Amino acid sequence: MKYAAILVMLLCVCITAGCSYFDEGSPALHPTKLPTLQPTPESEVATAEPSAMALQLSDLPDGYIIKERSDMSYADLNPLARDAGWKKGYYVAFYRIDIKTYDITGITQQISIYPLDRIRIIFDDVKADLLSTANATITLTELPFPKTGEYTAAIRTVDVNNPYGIMTYTVVFTKKDVLEQIVMKGTTTDYEVLKNIAATAAQKIR
């Protein structure tokens, strides 16, 4: 009888312990809820330096070489850019030449940083300034172009007096507080390549 009583007591202890394990207050079944991390909002202005957003040789088709790349200075600007509050910028130029076929094509990129609240105004002014160069011998045509950044414009320039049949395509677009102007000019131009280059340039703005 004595051993039977002890066995019953041990059994009760085990049952009581089991009940407490499944108790609603058990931390094993109700872990502490972790706070939800909110994503960091994206900056409205570019945080990278203009030189870090410039095109590289690897972004262009084979055959191109670097002709020039440099920070821009205030003295490089026209009055329009100065009055718009230009802050800083970068310029890079590439070209491809084939002497056997008398073929030469150049690609330039100009990156400029402006106050965010002025970026649409300067875009409109740059576009209007480009279109204003049309005359009796120079024809400018605005072309459809994939939306690149917030505002985009693409213009084809043809000079009937040019004996080499040189064609010029200019793409102007904005993203954040950055305005870019990319120009493809030469005896052999490819509008589809220019679209890809502009898309790559826009992705570098961060």
Side-chain angles (χ1 to χ4, degrees):
M1 285 298 287
K2 181 178 181 180
Y3 292 109
I6 295 174
L7 183 60
V8 171
M9 290 177 61
L10 289 174
L11 183 61
C12 290
V13 170
C14 291
I15 293 175
T16 304
C19 291
S20 64
Y21 179 80
F22 291 104
D23 184 72
E24 292 185 356
S26 172
L29 293 182
H30 298 275
T32 303
K33 186 176 180 181
L34 297 176
T36 303
L37 297 177
Q38 298 297 328
T40 303
E42 184 178 356
S43 174
E44 293 184 350
V45 299
T47 55
E49 287 298 314
S51 58
M53 298 185 282
L55 292 167
Q56 305 296 319
L57 274 177
S58 58
D59 300 319
L60 275 62
D62 293 339
Y64 281 89
I65 64 173
I66 294 176
K67 178 184 178 183
E68 179 186 358
R69 54 184 175 187
S70 173
D71 290 305
M72 295 170 59
S73 71
Y74 190 76
D76 297 328
L77 307 176
N78 58 35
L80 176 66
R82 295 175 182 175
D83 293 342
W86 181 88
K87 296 180 178 180
K88 55 185 175 180
Y90 197 80
Y91 175 84
V92 60
F94 309 89
Y95 77 92
R96 179 188 63 196
I97 186 169
D98 188 335
I99 298 177
K100 294 180 181 179
T101 60
Y102 301 99
D103 175 38
I104 182 169
T105 301
I107 295 174
T108 62
Q109 177 192 31
Q110 182 174 307
I111 304 170
S112 293
I113 311 296
Y114 291 94
L116 187 61
D117 60 349
R118 300 280 296 172
I119 199 70
R120 176 59 191 270
I121 296 174
I122 189 63
F123 169 82
D124 291 340
D125 287 345
V126 169
K127 179 181 174 181
D129 191 52
L130 286 169
L131 292 173
S132 69
T133 59
N135 55 37
T137 61
I138 298 177
T139 302
L140 287 93
T141 306
E142 189 168 357
L143 302 174
F145 198 85
K147 180 174 171 54
T148 307
E150 282 80 37
Y151 308 107
T152 315
I155 299 169
R156 179 180 60 208
T157 305
V158 179
D159 186 349
V160 296
N161 288 336
N162 189 291
Y164 304 105
I166 292 177
M167 189 83 67
T168 303
Y169 290 95
T170 303
V171 176
V172 181
F173 70 88
T174 69
K175 184 177 179 181
K176 298 188 176 185
D177 59 343
V178 179
L179 183 139
E180 292 203 23
Q181 183 170 305
I182 300 176
V183 179
M184 175 183 279
K185 180 178 181 179
T187 53
T188 302
T189 51
D190 190 326
Y191 196 53
E192 297 306 314
V193 169
L194 183 59
K195 291 177 182 179
N196 293 334
I197 291 173
T200 299
Q203 291 173 359
K204 291 177 179 287
I205 299 174
R206 57 193 186 280

